[in-house]
Amino acid sequence: VELARVQEKVSEIGQRSLKMTADNNGLRATLAEREMELRSVVSEKESETRARQREAEEARVTQEELRAQQDQLQKTVVNLTTEKESLARERDAMGVQIGQLQTSVAMLEEKAKEWNVREASLVKL
């Protein structure tokens, strides 16, 4: 009887051992699956991160290019403003010269009239 109970216990322990081994193998398979899934997710996230880093670098380069263009445009505006001011000074100076020339022409016309009057007087004499 004692031997039968011991054999029954050994059989129970064997059954539990087989079940635990099967459970352990199932857990290992599940763990391996989960590890592969996680590796896939990590790989995908790393790829997304690299893509975002590339986009950020492209945005940084674009921003630098835009800053350089803005600097160039500001220089152009300064140059054009300087040129505009210079042309305005030249225009003002030409306006003064035109005024002087008009005064001179008016004086010459007045002199011509005086000469014409004198000439007419001389012709009458």
Side-chain angles (χ1 to χ4, degrees):
V1 175
E2 189 70 25
L3 180 62
R5 254 185 357 177
V6 168
Q7 286 176 342
E8 188 179 319
K9 286 284 186 189
V10 167
S11 176
E12 284 177 21
I13 291 172
Q15 291 295 325
R16 280 194 307 206
S17 176
L18 286 173
K19 183 181 180 324
M20 286 169 57
T21 299
D23 288 349
N24 191 19
N25 287 340
L27 289 173
R28 284 184 186 186
T30 301
L31 183 62
E33 260 181 53
R34 186 70 180 132
E35 184 178 359
M36 287 181 63
E37 289 172 8
L38 289 174
R39 286 179 195 259
S40 174
V41 168
V42 166
S43 175
E44 183 180 321
K45 294 297 179 187
E46 286 174 343
S47 177
E48 290 172 6
T49 299
R50 284 190 299 273
R52 275 196 226 90
Q53 288 172 337
R54 276 192 305 276
E55 289 171 1
E57 177 63 16
E58 290 170 0
R60 185 189 63 76
V61 167
T62 300
Q63 189 175 19
E64 286 177 5
E65 290 171 350
L66 289 173
R67 270 195 209 111
Q69 288 176 358
Q70 184 179 13
D71 290 347
Q72 187 59 44
L73 286 173
Q74 286 174 339
K75 288 177 185 175
T76 301
V77 166
V78 167
N79 290 341
L80 289 173
T81 301
T82 302
E83 186 175 345
K84 176 184 168 188
E85 290 168 354
S86 175
L87 289 171
R89 283 191 298 274
E90 286 180 28
R91 182 196 63 217
D92 293 345
M94 286 182 178
V96 169
Q97 289 177 346
I98 288 170
Q100 291 171 346
L101 287 172
Q102 286 172 337
T103 301
S104 295
V105 166
M107 285 176 26
L108 288 173
E109 286 174 344
E110 195 60 37
K111 289 282 186 192
K113 285 179 188 175
E114 288 175 15
W115 282 105
N116 286 338
V117 168
R118 284 186 190 164
E119 184 181 352
S121 296
L122 288 174
V123 167
K124 289 182 183 176
L125 291 173

